[in-house]
DNA sequence: CTGTATCCGTGCCGATACTG
DNA sequence: CAGTATCGGCACGGATACAG
């Protein structure tokens, strides 16, 4: 429980994993899709995901060239979990629409 | 995503839901099983879970009498999600045993 | 036994600005 | 484009003590 939470418990990690589950992406792409995340936080969360072996960075050439982020095979194993959370979250929204707004830590709509 | 995180993203909520999924329990029982949670935080998290309709309090008599907490029918719908997270967390522990110790927010072993 | 009150530390996140 | 640097805030969680 706690271990899982440590790996995917960041504010944006589920969102990032969700988008990466839809295909690899570069920094700016993730930033756009996960707005309004700041570059600093995005870099932090990506580095943590990378440290946990869920995500890998692949450089595509000499700078300036987009750096691609993609799920590792291991990272793909969380997708069902992420999807489960997402689906339940939608149900929860339908049940109590207020859930989307009043929270402080709720900005991303994945 | 964000809505789900708001509902179950507290530090102890997954753990509490897990235990409650194993049967209703009283305050002290939850406190013991979720050690080292403090009474203040336990009360907070339970109240939030209650506000989200996942958990209900039932008084069993005049004080001093144990107050029972149990999942609502709606609360039961998160159990699959919780279980998914838990199972993945175990896998993750096996893969990187370090995940259990270095994190700051990792005390509960559910 | 079931909580509440008070105080406090800090982890997490954010804004802004800057660099290769 | 892909980040890093610096600074700051504040909500969240925690310790301890007390109360019905």
């Amino acid at each position: 429980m706690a271990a899982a939470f440590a790996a995917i418990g960041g504010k944006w990690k589920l969102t990032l994993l969700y988008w990466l589950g839809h295909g690899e992406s570069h920094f700016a792409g993730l930033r756009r899709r996960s707005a309004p995340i700041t570059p600093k936080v995005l870099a932090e969360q990506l580095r943590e995901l990378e440290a946990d072996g869920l995500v890998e960075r692949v450089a595509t050439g000499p700078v300036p060239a987009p750096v691609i982020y993609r799920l590792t095979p291991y990272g793909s194993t969380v997708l069902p979990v992420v999807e489960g959370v997402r689906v339940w979250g939608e149900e929860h929204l339908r049940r109590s629409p207020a859930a989307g707004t009043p929270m402080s830590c709720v900005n991303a709509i994945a």
Side-chain angles (χ1 to χ4, degrees), chain A:
Chain A
M1 210 89 199
F5 207 78
I8 63 178
K11 178 170 170 182
W12 302 95
K13 289 185 184 173
L14 286 175
T15 301
L16 291 174
L17 291 170
Y18 173 77
W19 288 120
L20 288 172
H22 285 223
E24 58 193 35
S25 180
H26 51 144
F27 195 88
L30 289 170
R31 190 179 172 187
R32 217 175 347 99
R33 277 186 271 265
S34 308
I37 193 173
T38 62
K40 176 198 151 191
V41 174
L42 175 55
E44 279 174 5
Q45 305 261 310
L46 283 173
R47 261 186 276 114
E48 289 173 22
L49 288 172
E50 194 187 357
D52 281 324
L54 301 179
V55 161
E56 63 184 353
R57 303 174 23 130
V58 329
T60 61
V63 287
V67 175
I68 295 300
Y69 291 90
R70 79 159 86 107
L71 290 179
T72 62
Y74 178 53
S76 301
T77 64
V78 270
L79 285 183
V81 177
V82 172
E83 189 60 13
V85 172
R86 196 188 62 76
V87 168
W88 185 87
E90 273 183 6
E91 294 293 328
H92 186 59
L93 264 186
R94 180 162 349 181
R95 182 189 162 90
S96 44
T101 41
M103 278 292 300
S104 63
C105 68
V106 176
N107 298 316
I109 313 298

